[in-house]
Amino acid sequence: MTTKQFGAPVQRTEDVRLLKGNGRYLDDLGQDALAAAFVRSPHAHARIVDIDVTDALEVEGLVAIYTHEDLPGRVGEPLPLLIPHPAIVAGRTGYALAKDRVNHVGEPIVMVVASDRYVAEDVCGRITVTYEVLPPVVGVETARDAKHLVHEDVAGNVAGHLVQEVGDAPAAVDSAPHTLELDLKVERSACIPMEGRGVYARWDADDESLRIYTSTQTTTGVRAAVATKLDLPLNRVECIAPDVGGGFGVKIMHPWPEEVLVPWAARLLDREIKWTEDRREHFVSSAHERGQVQKVRVGFDDEGRVLGLDVKIWHDNGAYVPYGLIVPIITSTQLLGPYKPGAYKVEFWSLYTNTVIVTPYRGAGRPQGVYAMERTMDAIADYLGKDRVAVREANFIQPDEMPYDHHMIFQDGRPLIYDSGDFPGSMDKLKALVGWQDFEDYREQARAEGRRVGIGVACYVEGTGVGPYEGGHVVVESTGKVVVSTGLTSQGQGHETVFAQIVADELGVPLEDIKVTTGDTRKMGYSVGTFASRAAVMSGNAIGIAARNVRTKALRIAGEALEVDPGDLEIVDGIVRVKGSPTSSMPLGTVAVLSNPLRYAFDTASQAATQFVVGDPDKPPVAEDDEPGLEDRDFYSPAQSTYANGMHAVIVETDPETAEIKILRYCVVHDCGNIINPMIVEGQIHGGVAQGVGGALYERMEYDENGQLLNASFMDFLMPYVTEVPDRIEIDHLETPSPLNPLGIKGAGEAGVIPSAAVFASAIEDAEGFTITSMPISPSELYALRQRFAAGEIPALRGRSATASTATTPTPVTEATTR
Amino acid sequence: MKPAPFTYHAPTTLAEALDALDRVGEDGKVLAGGQSLIPMLNMRLASPAHLVDINGVAGLGTVDVDATGVRIGALARHAQVAGHDAAHSVVPLLRQALQLVAHPVIRNRGTTVGSLAHADPSGEMTAVLSLLGGSMDLARKGAARTVPAAEFFVGPLESCLEPGEMAVSAWFPVPPPRTGTTFREVARRHGDYAMCGVAAAVTLDADQRVLSARTSYISMTATPLVLDLTEAVAGKPFDAADWAAAGQLSADQLDPEPDIHATADYRRHLGVVLTRQALTDAATVAAAQPQGATR
């Protein structure tokens, strides 16, 4: 029998190519193309008074300079608002090139096309833009105060406002035995893929068609957007994602200004043009995420059960909202995690600021929601003097309550109904993995050595595999090789491997005979894109369905040829054979030949398929309900998302003197349903945890009050090195299959990063004995908190110290009463 | 991130290099390891009209060691100096500091003299040269001079190098007998510029009592700061000296600036802590030496 591939830790087939340097990334293409470069705004908020290109015109190698007034028709109109939502109060999007005003540092104003990038940048340096600087709005609080407006016609800087409510949460909070209030904050970070964005376009004047290569997470999205902007029929535009060096969300946003302008200019000039984003451009002109201010009011009983949860969120969406309100919607719905509060109300305001736009970054609003909820759980435990895990367990949705309906609407417009999960089971595994019960002994031992340690825990539920659909196309060639394509794109996830594993099991062919292509509109024109941990769920199932259909057809054709019942056939190592009688067989490639009745033979194999040889002379060569070829294209479109979950624990040590924060152990229990490839899932978790460590302890977007990004380089934006990430991430899996899809899988791509801010806050708080309310946290900030704690300005954890304190975070707003 | 146009010079002798520098004057910049200059060119923070690449100049990659000290040539890479056992045996502070300079790939190309000429007050080697009382050998067409560390560093990213002049080598003298040295720093990430770094040298007398306790700092001042903290510990046995008091003594003399990674308060706090730790370590190293030796 062929070894089952689904579930096997198969090594990634794409790695040989990628690790040997044979990947083809955007900047590897179009070596003879003209180069584009952009003059970008140095001001966060300004009116453009004048653009003077006089000094630039003499530069040798200059081809063209474009400003907004050169952009015709739709190219000059605002970029699309991709995801309209009724809660958008005032949706504003930018222009491909700024018209009259700029709203963040880095906004493109002038496009230069030249013989190469050096010359293009020389030209940019000679263009003088005169500005009238306007007061900038930077940070959530400033935006909320609305003393100044980002967009003159948007009152209060409010882009969107949404309330979702289940039960009467404010009343439930007020009437609960105990009440707490928390003020929380999360700073901005960003995806920061190794490869930035990039676009390369060429116009075929003879064919009147456009080909776009772009480093994107959605080629069908870019194709549709560019075709619309350029007024081209969809079938005259091809869009291809070459190898992509990471996305993490920033490349699902589209069309970026450059994705419209480069193809537009390529067609206008009838020249190949390429733009490759540099690192500074990426920091100031791509997208950020995470920045929120939150206020939580929670009412609970003596066991820590949440009776009412009332949350307000102020979300910084940057200068524009092209991606709608997806991030705060996810925050406000996924905040609930594995818990079932008695009543829940969440209200958010999505606010404009004069900073880079905010679009989903791996986790996409969940890290902030989990942070709010888990900070609340820790605060409840501390208030009651209870074990932090016990309080969580008291609030868990139980396995027998699945599917669990929260009676809310998720980001996909569908009901928030958890399909599967065993939260108490996951927590049991985590407690065993990290040694939760024994930690106090370890703490004492460390204390005796003069060391300060703390443990933290955090749980999350993640809606994955959101719709609307993906497709799979599976073809068996006459060589017996299988070609698979799906429309969504790959940025390093290992799709070529896992999709091949699914097909290998269905078709009984070895992995090395399967070739997977993603993100090429020439091969699959219908697709949504890669985001929301959806690729395995959506394309995996679509490909699985298509492969099963191909199998059925192969067995039918082979059954006819071998004159046996298809039910008696199996496919092993690419050979269709009669079960128990392997001598009666034919290669799958021969079946492919037979599936396509020919008039013309071109080799010996095809001679076997000419209409004089095969088929019943009384019937049409291709039956009415059939098609030639051993192939199928099918789609998977679920009614709702599937919900993965996980729980993390971390043990940290904080240096009593230098306030440095060291990770001693990091443990993960993860449930993504059936696992296609455990090695790849663990790799996803490792990468996610690494990004989470960055977001919790190192990274932030350091904007000054003028809206200048002070750390727009890898010198000062502190992405963790391998030296900052734990050497070992301890992982245990729980597999509760999703009942929603044939493969029983749930997404895994974002999991590792989601609970990081929460779990580190929990552990550092535990080590230090005072509350942590703002993340990320640096040694300098921890030192400052220690100084304030010593001065009595922030309260001790109650569980740790009997010292009375008048400070107010978190604040008991009603006296504790015991029933 | 592409540099502005420049004229590239590739001399093969020191005379040619100095001649080229003399001709281009203020418009010229020396390219050695390029670990600071190239990023600045790419970001167009610097746009010299002429680059004089000395990588092809013979005879500049030397590390010369004798009983009095170590002379490091303009093309000696950090990794080469750090790995030089003879240099380590007479001036151990070189290796102690160099292993904290950035990452291996940067140390493989970056030059020690180039790092000094760059005069970044966060660069470890500025503190080493200053603490040891070393000097820089500078040359221009037809002239040469030697400048003590205390006069070489003029401001942040500013040395006394004049247009047309080039740093040819750096001199690190052997510290007095029974001296121990260490380098301690706290950086945000492994290999980052430190939020605070302290080089320490403690000299003991024949009875293991403290003769001298001195420190120098990076990332704390615009130019390297050297403190003599001997008065807090003078004459005390090395293992009974109040090194914390020496740390406290440094506090009043440290007046760092805040930046996005650390407040001034935190930096000063680190200065005090690291001063104590570095002096304690240096004293232990000094005491462990055979009589009359230097480690």
Side-chain angles (χ1 to χ4, degrees), chain A residues 416-431:
Chain A
L416 184 70
I417 302 173
Y418 293 176
D419 55 317
S420 56
D422 176 0
F423 306 135
S426 288
M427 185 54 92
D428 287 343
K429 275 181 177 279
L430 184 67
K431 281 194 288 188

Side-chain angles (χ1 to χ4, degrees), chain A residues 271-305:
Chain A
R271 298 284 301 273
E272 295 185 15
I273 303 177
K274 182 170 72 175
W275 169 76
T276 307
E277 185 181 58
D278 69 32
R279 190 52 62 182
R280 183 176 158 75
E281 283 184 298
H282 188 79
F283 274 108
V284 299
S285 63
S286 287
H288 302 164
E289 219 236 85
R290 304 284 198 251
Q292 284 182 359
V293 170
Q294 306 162 333
K295 189 173 205 62
V296 179
R297 287 182 71 239
V298 61
F300 50 97
D301 66 14
D302 294 345
E303 300 307 309
R305 278 188 292 258

Side-chain angles (χ1 to χ4, degrees), chain A residues 117-119 121-123 125 278-281 655-660 697-700 702 710-721 723-724 777-781 783-784 787, chain B residues 1-6 39 41-45 102-103 106 120 184-193 195 259-270 272-274 276-277:
Chain A
R117 181 67 178 251
Y118 292 83
V119 174
E121 291 192 19
D122 292 346
V123 172
D278 69 32
R279 190 52 62 182
R280 183 176 158 75
E281 283 184 298
D655 189 297
E657 287 198 300
T658 63
E660 289 170 285
L697 301 179
Y698 294 97
E699 301 168 354
R700 68 182 61 206
E702 201 72 50
L710 301 179
N711 60 340
S713 82
F714 279 153
M715 192 166 92
D716 284 319
F717 179 84
L718 306 178
M719 199 157 70
Y721 301 128
T723 40
E724 280 64 51
I777 186 166
S778 68
S780 183
E781 286 162 325
Y783 173 75
Q787 302 292 101
Chain B
M1 290 229 191
K2 303 290 182 198
F6 56 82
L41 294 177
N42 284 345
M43 289 190 268
R44 302 200 178 204
L45 295 172
H103 307 279
I106 291 175
D120 187 326
R184 280 238 181 191
E185 66 179 39
V186 173
R188 283 295 272 122
R189 295 173 301 184
H190 184 85
D192 277 351
Y193 282 122
M195 292 182 284
D259 71 5
I260 61 175
H261 302 303
T263 62
D265 267 357
Y266 178 60
R267 267 181 216 279
R268 189 180 300 106
H269 168 75
L270 285 180
V272 172
V273 169
L274 294 177
R276 187 199 79 227
Q277 292 177 348

Side-chain angles (χ1 to χ4, degrees), chain A residues 85-209:
Chain A
H85 189 281
I88 296 176
V89 177
R92 297 289 179 273
T93 59
Y95 292 87
L97 291 172
K99 181 187 181 197
D100 306 331
R101 288 165 78 102
V102 283
N103 285 309
H104 67 86
V105 170
E107 191 164 359
I109 298 168
V110 184
M111 180 191 191
V112 171
V113 180
S115 53
D116 63 42
R117 181 67 178 251
Y118 292 83
V119 174
E121 291 192 19
D122 292 346
V123 172
C124 288
R126 288 164 169 255
I127 294 171
T128 307
V129 183
T130 309
Y131 302 90
E132 178 194 335
V133 176
L134 302 170
V137 177
V138 182
V140 172
E141 291 91 343
T142 314
R144 190 170 60 186
D145 292 347
K147 204 171 139 203
H148 299 291
L149 298 177
V150 175
H151 303 283
E152 288 171 310
D153 57 343
V154 177
N157 291 314
V158 176
H161 176 230
L162 182 65
V163 182
Q164 290 206 67
E165 200 164 7
V166 184
D168 188 347
V173 173
D174 290 339
S175 62
H178 314 286
T179 307
L180 285 172
E181 197 170 305
L182 290 82
D183 289 299
L184 301 168
K185 191 171 179 182
V186 183
E187 298 277 355
R188 271 190 179 208
S189 185
C191 304
I192 315 291
M194 198 186 304
E195 182 199 28
R197 299 184 290 113
V199 194
Y200 160 49
R202 53 199 209 208
W203 175 250
D204 184 330
D206 298 327
D207 192 47
E208 294 197 328
S209 68

Side-chain angles (χ1 to χ4, degrees), chain A residues 148-412:
Chain A
H148 299 291
L149 298 177
V150 175
H151 303 283
E152 288 171 310
D153 57 343
V154 177
N157 291 314
V158 176
H161 176 230
L162 182 65
V163 182
Q164 290 206 67
E165 200 164 7
V166 184
D168 188 347
V173 173
D174 290 339
S175 62
H178 314 286
T179 307
L180 285 172
E181 197 170 305
L182 290 82
D183 289 299
L184 301 168
K185 191 171 179 182
V186 183
E187 298 277 355
R188 271 190 179 208
S189 185
C191 304
I192 315 291
M194 198 186 304
E195 182 199 28
R197 299 184 290 113
V199 194
Y200 160 49
R202 53 199 209 208
W203 175 250
D204 184 330
D206 298 327
D207 192 47
E208 294 197 328
S209 68
L210 180 68
R211 181 176 297 177
I212 308 164
Y213 294 87
T214 178
S215 189
T216 185
Q217 292 175 226
T218 171
T219 48
T220 46
V222 173
R223 178 172 76 149
V226 173
T228 302
K229 279 284 183 195
L230 270 52
D231 206 12
L232 283 166
L234 201 58
N235 68 8
R236 296 288 87 191
V237 181
E238 298 167 344
C239 186
I240 300 153
D243 283 320
V244 174
F248 309 109
V250 64
K251 296 174 184 175
I252 191 61
M253 171 54 213
H254 68 279
W256 288 99
E258 301 85 356
E259 285 175 328
V260 173
L261 294 169
V262 169
W264 167 73
R267 180 190 182 193
L268 183 68
L269 297 170
D270 194 11
R271 298 284 301 273
E272 295 185 15
I273 303 177
K274 182 170 72 175
W275 169 76
T276 307
E277 185 181 58
D278 69 32
R279 190 52 62 182
R280 183 176 158 75
E281 283 184 298
H282 188 79
F283 274 108
V284 299
S285 63
S286 287
H288 302 164
E289 219 236 85
R290 304 284 198 251
Q292 284 182 359
V293 170
Q294 306 162 333
K295 189 173 205 62
V296 179
R297 287 182 71 239
V298 61
F300 50 97
D301 66 14
D302 294 345
E303 300 307 309
R305 278 188 292 258
V306 175
L307 305 175
L309 184 64
D310 185 0
V311 181
K312 291 182 169 59
I313 297 164
W314 293 268
H315 171 81
D316 175 355
N317 61 227
Y320 307 107
V321 284
Y323 211 78
L325 302 175
I326 291 298
V327 173
I329 290 174
I330 295 176
T331 302
S332 58
T333 47
Q334 300 259 267
L335 185 146
L336 291 166
Y339 311 114
K340 45 175 181 184
Y344 178 48
K345 178 181 179 186
V346 61
E347 180 170 18
F348 73 72
W349 294 263
S350 192
L351 302 172
Y352 288 113
T353 58
N354 289 113
T355 58
V356 170
I357 61 169
V358 165
T359 67
Y361 159 32
R362 196 179 199 173
R366 289 177 194 85
Q368 302 93 309
V370 169
Y371 174 72
M373 192 68 188
E374 297 295 309
R375 290 283 68 214
T376 303
M377 286 292 161
D378 282 351
I380 293 171
D382 181 56
Y383 185 85
L384 294 173
K386 285 190 167 297
D387 178 74
R388 285 172 287 165
V389 164
V391 167
R392 285 168 170 83
E393 287 171 337
N395 285 284
F396 277 158
I397 296 163
Q398 298 300 310
D400 61 10
E401 294 176 278
M402 293 290 174
Y404 187 87
D405 189 346
H406 276 293
H407 301 287
M408 297 185 71
I409 300 299
F410 190 46
Q411 61 132 328
D412 52 1

Side-chain angles (χ1 to χ4, degrees), chain A residues 659 779-789 793-794, chain B residues 263 266:
Chain A
S780 183
E781 286 162 325
L782 180 57
Y783 173 75
L785 287 177
R786 285 177 179 177
Q787 302 292 101
R788 290 183 57 206
F789 178 59
E793 291 170 20
I794 50 176
Chain B
T263 62
Y266 178 60

Side-chain angles (χ1 to χ4, degrees), chain B residues 16 27 105 127 219 264 275:
Chain B
E16 282 175 21
D27 295 332
V105 286
S219 306
T275 297

